[in-house]
Amino acid sequence: MGDSESTKTISRPLISGPNMYALLIGEFDRIKPAGCTRSCRVPLPFWGPAPGSQSVYWFMAPPPTCPSGCGKLITELWARLTTEYRIAPPEKETVLWKHGSRVPISQG
């Protein structure tokens, strides 16, 4: 990684997962197409393993398709905001899903 890349990473503000979600919702509400007749919402980002990999990171399930283009807008917002901000990993808690239930596991 070159000097300019490390400077860019360091200069990006760190934001918590819940704050990123709130930012996503606020930005989507601001730019949501007026003609959307659906109840389009931003999917909740999750902290978990990357598909087919051992690495763990924040990810968001693909938003539902919408004839007004809401899904595309949400995807573009996620891409832009995750470039502008670094999302902090959850503190002292890992969440596993067992039999459809959320199971927090303390790391501390």
Side-chain angles (χ1 to χ4, degrees), residues 21-33 36 38-43 63 66 68-75 77 80-81:
Y21 186 54
L23 184 59
L24 281 164
I25 291 170
E27 287 293 304
F28 178 64
D29 286 347
R30 188 177 62 77
I31 65 171
K32 182 177 179 178
C36 178
R38 293 183 171 185
S39 300
C40 294
R41 296 189 177 150
V42 175
C66 171
S68 299
C70 291
K72 183 179 178 191
L73 282 174
I74 292 168
T75 301
L77 274 174
R80 180 175 60 85
L81 292 174

Side-chain angles (χ1 to χ4, degrees), residues 35-99:
C36 178
T37 58
R38 293 183 171 185
S39 300
C40 294
R41 296 189 177 150
V42 175
L44 181 66
F46 290 94
W47 177 258
S53 174
Q54 296 296 322
S55 60
V56 180
Y57 69 106
W58 284 102
F59 67 95
M60 184 174 62
T65 57
C66 171
S68 299
C70 291
K72 183 179 178 191
L73 282 174
I74 292 168
T75 301
E76 290 170 355
L77 274 174
W78 176 253
R80 180 175 60 85
L81 292 174
T82 55
T83 301
E84 292 176 12
Y85 294 91
R86 292 178 298 134
I87 309 173
E91 293 184 27
K92 298 188 181 191
E93 181 179 89
T94 298
V95 176
L96 297 178
W97 290 90
K98 291 189 178 183
H99 309 291

